[in-house]
Each structure stands twice: as C-alpha cells, then as structure tokens.
Amino acid sequence: MPQWLPRAVVMALALYACFRLGSWAFDQLIGLLVNILIAFFLALAIEPAVGRMAARGMRRGLATFLVFTVVFILSIGFIVLLGSMLAGQIVDMFDEFPKYLDSVIKWVNQTFHTELSRVDVQDSLLHSDWLQKYVQNSATGVLDVSTTVLGGLFRLLTIFLFSFYFAADGPRLRRALCSVLPPSRQAEVLRAWEIAVDKTGGYLYSRGLMALISGIAHYILLVVLGVPYAPALAVWVGLVSQFIPTIGTYLAGALPMLIAFTVDPWYALWVLGFVVIYQQFENYVLQPKLTSKTVDIHPAVAFGSVIAGTALLGAVGALIAIPAVATLQAFLGAYVKRYAVTDDPRVGGGSSRQRAEPVWSRVRRLTRGHGPHGDEPRDSGGADGSGEGGGTGHGGPGRR
C-alpha cells in the first residue's frame, strides 16, 4: 500500500463528513436564513425614511422604532377592518344560505325537470361520508392549526427584530463589512448597497401608489353598485393585487365578486369585467409609467424572476424577486460596455435586401418625365447645352 493512500482516504472521508454536516446544518437553518433575507429587504425598504429622520438629528434607533410603529398600526387597522367585514359577511351569508339554496334548487328543477327539495339536499349533505371525514380531520387538526399560528407569530417577530437591527445599525453594519475588504472593493459594496436601497424603496413606492389608484377605482365601482363594505374591499383589492405577485389579482378580485354576488348575481359579473379591464389598463398604461424610473426592468424579465423566485423560496421569493433582479441589473450595468448601434435596417426588423420600387411609383415617375433613376428631365436644346432662351451658360438674357 502506498504511504499516501491512508492519508488520502482519511482526507476524503473527512471532506464527505464535512459536506454532510454542512448539508444538515443548511437544511436546519434554511428557515432562519429566509427570515434574515426577508428582514434585510424590509430594512432596505425603510432605509430612506430612517435616513431622512437621522439626517435631521434624530437617533436612528428612535427613527426605526417610529417607522415600525406606523407600519404596525396600519397593519393592525387593516386586519381589524377586514376581519370585521368578513365576520359580518359570513354571518349574513349563513343567514341567507337557505334562500340561495332554494333559488338554486328551483332553477335546477325548472331546467332539468327534477323534483329536488331543500330538505333532501340538506339530509344528503349532513349524512355524507366526505362531510363526516372533513369534520373528523378538522377536529384532529386544531392542534396543528394552533402550532402553525404560533410558529407564524414567532417567525414574524424574528423578521421584525432582524429588520430593526439592520435598519437601526445600518452604518455600523456597512462599516463592519467594509473593514474586511480592500478600498477598491469597499466602493463597490457601498454602491451595490445604495442601488439596493433605491430599487427596493422605489419598488415599494410604485407598488404603494398603484395600490392607492387601484383601491380608489374599485371603491368608486363598489359604491356605484351599492356593494356593502366598499372601503374595506377597496383596501383589500389595492394591497393584495399589488403586493402578491402573479396570483394577487385573482385573489383580490374574488372577495369583491363574492360580496357583490350576495347583493345581485349580475353585480358579480360587473365586478369581474371591471377587474379584467382595469388589469389590462394597469399592465399596459399605468405600470410602465410608474416603474420606468424606479424598477426599470422588462415585463418578461419581471415575470420570469417572479417564477424563479417562487420556485426557489416560495411566496417570499416571489415577493422579493423583482427588487433583487432590478438591483442586480443596475449593478451589473456599470460593467457592461455598450456601443453605438449600426444604422442597419435589420435592427428595426427590416431586411438587408433593398426593397423594390412599387409599380405605381414607377408609372407615376415615367409619366412625369423623370429619368430611369429618378433624375430631372433634360433641356430640349442642342448638343451645346443651350435651349430656348438658355444661352451658353455665361450669362442671362442681357449677355454681350
């Protein structure tokens, strides 16, 4: 046996053990790492507000606390308003459920010539196997739901604590990071940090403005239709449609449609049509103008980044994908050398071959007396170039 073989075997086993240990640690800490990533982007989002307060003489810790207090109050107010609306609507729907069921049964009997009754439908539902299994699973899943709720609250507290530290100790964190890098790299890190703050803040600003416009537009529609809880529904549509990528529009429009259906089924169709039309207006008119200076990325790139972020980190990845891609694009744009585009018809989608002259243009040119190459008609004079009253080219009509 060669002398190096035992040492190589031990080294390979040690590397494999370190790899397995690192994989196990990463799997155990993936939740914490995702929370830190969310907290970092949240700190970047509130960095402009905290920076302005700190520039006016306020301590960064107090400024961060005030910003988080305002965000917390607004969030609690939105949840309470939406919760009260949902509770009231659920009670009303349960009270009106027999009337809806009677109308549906009447329509089915008239359409399909059946003889159904509400009592038979209720008995079949109450004694069905799937309902009993659902009740049993719900009873056994109460503990799981409680555990999930407690875990979500703990995760939310962790995110807020880390984001508070990132925002309050931002200068100290940047100083500690730059202290381990050479001066040339320090400038790049600080520039990347500044771009991330601008893009994340701009993304939230543009989304907040579009949420306000969307909420006002849907509020006007709901008030015109006479749908109850119009303010809460407008806030719901504005926030959910803008801050939940890809499927936010459908989630936002489902609740107003359901509430409008309780008033009049035709109102639900009106709400659906308005949601579809407004979404097209937002995609092609409103969003390009608002995001052209804040998050200037192509819509296809934004859609692909949302899909990639969802595949990697789920809902969290979908939420932070657009500002992350915008930051990366703006940072790498400084290192990409660009050249002037050549004046070639193929750049605009044309062909390299010269287009043939249309027949009607050639006929019009020939009838006007132009030459074969578009030249002006010659004078009718002789070979010396002198026509009627033209002279020899040394003077006009008064030549000597």
Side-chain angles (χ1 to χ4, degrees):
M1 179 183 298
Q3 296 181 356
W4 56 266
L5 185 58
R7 184 180 301 174
V9 172
V10 171
M11 184 65 68
L13 293 177
L15 291 176
Y16 179 74
C18 291
F19 172 75
R20 294 299 302 268
L21 181 62
S23 300
W24 173 81
F26 182 78
D27 292 337
Q28 297 296 321
L29 298 176
I30 184 64
L32 178 61
L33 296 177
V34 172
N35 292 338
I36 293 176
L37 182 62
I38 299 173
F40 179 71
F41 273 93
L42 183 59
L44 292 179
I46 67 173
E47 176 71 23
V50 175
R52 291 190 184 97
M53 293 182 182
R56 295 179 180 179
M58 185 180 296
R59 297 180 58 184
R60 289 188 64 91
L62 180 59
T64 306
F65 176 77
L66 292 178
V67 172
F68 272 106
T69 302
V70 173
V71 173
F72 179 75
I73 292 175
L74 293 178
S75 302
I76 293 298
F78 172 70
I79 293 174
V80 170
L81 181 64
L82 189 63
S84 62
M85 180 205 67
L86 289 178
Q89 287 301 119
I90 289 173
V91 172
D92 294 340
M93 289 178 63
F94 272 104
D95 293 339
E96 299 292 333
F97 181 74
K99 185 187 298 185
Y100 299 145
L101 186 59
D102 289 338
S103 62
V104 172
I105 291 175
K106 182 179 179 180
W107 178 80
V108 171
N109 290 333
Q110 292 178 355
T111 305
F112 300 100
H113 304 287
T114 58
E115 296 181 355
L116 297 176
S117 64
R118 189 178 68 184
V119 177
D120 297 336
V121 174
Q122 290 178 352
D123 291 339
S124 61
L125 289 176
L126 292 176
H127 295 87
S128 60
D129 295 335
W130 68 269
L131 182 60
Q132 295 178 359
K133 292 180 180 179
Y134 178 78
V135 172
Q136 293 175 358
N137 294 332
S138 300
T140 57
V142 172
L143 183 61
D144 296 336
V145 172
S146 303
T147 305
T148 304
V149 171
L150 292 177
L153 292 177
F154 179 76
R155 183 179 182 181
L156 189 63
L157 179 61
T158 303
I159 292 173
F160 273 101
L161 285 176
F162 274 108
S163 59
F164 180 85
Y165 292 142
F166 286 150
D169 294 337
R172 186 183 303 176
L173 180 62
R174 288 189 288 269
R175 189 176 295 108
L177 183 61
C178 292
S179 64
V180 297
L181 297 174
S184 59
R185 298 298 181 184
Q186 294 179 12
E188 300 298 329
V189 171
L190 294 176
R191 190 173 69 87
W193 195 295
E194 183 180 6
I195 292 174
V197 171
D198 293 339
K199 294 301 180 180
T200 306
Y203 172 74
L204 292 181
Y205 167 76
S206 60
R207 288 293 174 178
L209 188 57
M210 285 192 294
L212 178 62
I213 298 174
S214 176
I216 293 174
H218 288 85
Y219 172 75
I220 295 174
L221 173 69
L222 296 175
V223 169
V224 171
L225 295 178
V227 178
Y229 304 102
L233 288 175
V235 174
W236 163 266
V237 172
L239 293 180
V240 174
S241 63
Q242 300 302 325
F243 291 98
I244 298 182
T246 308
I247 62 173
T249 302
Y250 309 104
L251 292 178
L255 185 59
M257 287 176 56
L258 180 62
I259 305 301
F261 184 83
T262 61
V263 179
D264 191 341
W266 287 105
Y267 288 175
L269 295 178
W270 278 101
V271 173
L272 176 61
F274 183 82
V275 168
V276 173
I277 294 174
Y278 180 82
Q279 187 64 30
Q280 302 306 316
F281 167 76
E282 181 182 284
N283 291 337
Y284 295 102
V285 178
L286 187 61
Q287 184 173 353
K289 293 183 178 180
L290 292 179
T291 59
S292 60
K293 295 182 180 180
T294 55
V295 188
D296 189 13
I297 59 177
H298 194 273
V301 177
F303 182 70
S305 63
V306 170
I307 294 178
T310 305
L312 292 175
L313 298 176
V316 176
L319 188 61
I320 66 176
I322 295 179
V325 171
T327 301
L328 183 62
Q329 176 180 338
F331 180 74
L332 296 179
Y335 299 97
V336 177
K337 188 175 181 180
R338 300 183 181 275
Y339 301 92
V341 180
T342 181
D343 189 9
D344 195 304
R346 289 172 292 184
V347 176
S351 176
S352 59
R353 299 179 180 178
Q354 186 178 3
R355 297 179 58 183
E357 186 180 5
V359 177
W360 62 271
S361 298
R362 294 163 57 186
V363 172
R364 185 176 61 179
R365 177 173 50 79
L366 293 176
T367 54
R368 290 183 178 180
H370 291 271
H373 298 287
D375 299 332
E376 294 295 331
R378 298 181 180 179
D379 295 335
S380 57
D384 58 350
S386 60
E388 296 181 1
T392 60
H394 298 283
R399 71 181 187 275
R400 292 179 295 177

